Amino acid sequence: MRSKGITDESVLDAMNKVPRHLFLDSSFLEHAYQNKAFPIGADQTISHPYTVAFQSQLLQLKPGDKVLEIGTGSGYQCAVLLEMKAQIYTIERQNELYKKTNLLFRKLNYRPRKYVFGDGYKGLPEEAPFDSIIVTCGAPEIPQTLLSQLKIGGRLVIPVGSDPQIMTLIVRESATDFSKETFGEFRFVPFLGGKN
Ligand code: SAH
């Protein structure tokens, strides 16, 4: 991770603490610490460790920050952010995964502030605004709803486009102004509307 440009010690420490093998199907156990994506059920994948590190670093978290995650999936990214002492609100649209990961969070004692079965396109207006929003699925475009749920100074980290996606950082500079920076190609499963 260091040799690939991950320099934020709080990200590296958090990733050292989370037992990634427990977030994979047991058939992939022996590969858990390689830099690969794996199936986690319901046609979804756990992100590459490097991708998790890269997105986590872009958030520039401070302890106690209020963070919204779209796409809980296996719960691995969420666990890393919890180890970084953020308050996490996380949304998953697939019920099968939602339930499986809920059991794992309990077993490992990872406690998001809220874990919601729902459609991430809506964000979480009742808990907004957030210091950061992290989207862990590939978005065809940047949802306005999510921009409106950022604090001033808040950061949205979102992979945009379709196969591959361009990692994009949006910073809310004022009530009406947003700046944008891009960081190269990544591959994610799609950000889909609705829930099932
Ligand atoms: N952060 C996850 C990545 C899982 S893959 C991890 O660490 O394992 C992306 C996830 O986004 C999938 O579980 C998929 O079901 C979910 N997703 C896709 N569209 C969504 C939406 N509209 N709302 C919430 N989750 C969504």
Side-chain angles (χ1 to χ4, degrees), residues 47-64:
S47 299
H48 287 64
Y50 174 69
T51 305
V52 171
F54 195 86
Q55 288 196 281
S56 302
Q57 179 161 285
L58 280 181
L59 295 176
Q60 294 191 354
L61 290 188
K62 296 180 299 303

Side-chain angles (χ1 to χ4, degrees), residues 40 44-47 52 69-78 91-94 97 118-121 136-137 189-194:
I40 52 176
Q44 305 302 321
T45 52
I46 183 172
S47 299
V52 171
E69 179 193 29
I70 312 296
T72 320
S74 69
Y76 178 70
Q77 170 76 73
C78 177
I91 308 178
E92 174 54 54
R93 70 177 288 280
Q94 292 249 17
L97 266 178
D119 178 3
Y121 272 103
T136 69
C137 35
V189 297
F191 190 171
L192 302 172

Side-chain angles (χ1 to χ4, degrees), residues 3-186:
S3 66
K4 295 184 97 187
I6 305 299
T7 52
D8 183 331
E9 295 296 331
S10 66
V11 172
L12 294 164
D13 285 352
M15 290 188 67
N16 276 331
K17 286 183 188 148
V18 180
R20 187 170 188 258
H21 64 281
L22 299 179
F23 292 81
L24 303 176
D25 280 349
S26 50
S27 45
F28 296 100
L29 258 189
E30 58 185 310
H31 304 292
Y33 295 93
Q34 296 174 6
N35 191 24
K36 290 183 182 169
F38 289 104
I40 52 176
D43 279 339
Q44 305 302 321
T45 52
I46 183 172
S47 299
H48 287 64
Y50 174 69
T51 305
V52 171
F54 195 86
Q55 288 196 281
S56 302
Q57 179 161 285
L58 280 181
L59 295 176
Q60 294 191 354
L61 290 188
K62 296 180 299 303
D65 270 5
K66 198 170 164 184
V67 179
L68 175 64
E69 179 193 29
I70 312 296
T72 320
S74 69
Y76 178 70
Q77 170 76 73
C78 177
V80 169
L81 298 176
L82 285 169
E83 293 286 3
M84 293 174 74
K85 308 275 182 276
Q87 306 174 51
I88 313 295
Y89 299 76
T90 183
I91 308 178
E92 174 54 54
R93 70 177 288 280
Q94 292 249 17
N95 200 244
E96 178 190 336
L97 266 178
Y98 174 80
K99 288 193 278 193
K100 186 167 146 189
T101 298
N102 202 21
L103 291 176
L104 188 66
F105 281 154
R106 280 161 198 252
K107 189 168 138 198
L108 302 181
N109 203 22
Y110 280 118
R111 296 167 187 256
R113 277 295 160 99
K114 271 197 184 170
Y115 179 26
V116 178
F117 168 54
D119 178 3
Y121 272 103
K122 301 195 169 101
L124 215 54
E126 66 276 24
E127 300 292 347
F130 296 95
D131 293 293
S132 288
I133 301 177
I134 173 172
V135 177
T136 69
C137 35
E141 59 201 340
I142 298 169
Q144 286 299 320
T145 348
L146 298 184
L147 293 177
S148 72
Q149 294 181 21
L150 281 176
K151 286 184 188 172
I152 309 293
R155 301 163 79 83
L156 168 65
V157 173
I158 180 169
V160 184
S162 58
D163 208 20
Q165 290 86 26
I166 306 298
M167 191 61 74
T168 305
L169 167 68
I170 307 283
V171 179
R172 185 170 201 172
E173 306 288 354
S174 72
T176 49
D177 295 324
F178 296 86
S179 62
K180 176 175 160 182
E181 221 179 314
T182 55
F183 297 89
E185 295 181 355
F186 289 81

